[in-house]
Amino acid sequence: MKRFFRTLLALIYLLAGIAHIRSPGGFLQITPDWVPYPKQVILLTGIAEIAGAIGLMIPPRMIPHIRYAAGIGLALYALCVYPANINHAVNNLAIGGETASWLYHAPRLAFQPVFIWWALIAGGVINWPFKRK
């Protein structure tokens, strides 16, 4: 089960990373004004997501600690992009001419801490609330 959820998270981040690189427009629209060099930041976040996804899938026996580092990296990534999600919600920013309701924003904002926890679990950084065998 743990492998399934690690793979699912890696797939989510892989697809998101590709989206950041191939279609940065929507991400640029929700990036707060205080972020310097937003185009470059969006590109780097896409690369970080892809690298983290790959890192989660590399067995620890191949490269020790890579999965651990990927888990920490993706958790920090999820924390760092939270301001963009807040900006999107609070300022009701349109992406592609469409605005989203709080039926979209509220679960997205509430789920961000879960993504942080999920990355830490997937990377083997924490095991809470599960018990070790």
Side-chain angles (χ1 to χ4, degrees):
M1 190 59 97
K2 202 170 186 179
R3 181 185 304 163
F4 169 78
F5 282 106
R6 183 179 63 249
T7 302
L8 179 60
L9 184 64
L11 180 61
I12 290 168
Y13 273 114
L14 177 65
L15 294 174
I18 292 168
H20 275 84
I21 293 168
R22 291 190 64 190
S23 304
F27 301 105
L28 285 168
Q29 289 175 298
I30 68 170
T31 301
D33 293 337
W34 51 263
V35 174
Y37 307 104
K39 288 180 183 177
Q40 292 81 356
V41 168
I42 298 301
L43 173 65
L44 291 174
T45 58
I47 293 168
E49 287 173 307
I50 292 168
I54 292 168
L56 285 181
M57 298 313 300
I58 295 175
R61 68 183 179 280
M62 288 180 65
I63 305 174
H65 308 296
I66 195 75
R67 188 177 289 171
Y68 188 91
I72 291 173
L74 289 173
L76 289 172
Y77 167 84
L79 180 66
C80 289
V81 299
Y82 206 40
N85 297 338
I86 293 169
N87 187 45
H88 186 198
V90 170
N91 294 312
N92 199 28
L93 300 173
I95 295 178
E98 298 289 325
T99 58
S101 75
W102 276 95
L103 291 174
Y104 166 79
H105 291 299
R108 182 179 182 197
L109 293 173
F111 198 72
Q112 200 74 13
V114 175
F115 265 114
I116 293 168
W117 169 81
W118 191 358
L120 295 172
I121 286 282
V125 179
I126 64 171
N127 205 32
W128 178 85
F130 307 106
K131 294 182 181 181
R132 296 205 184 271
K133 290 183 180 179

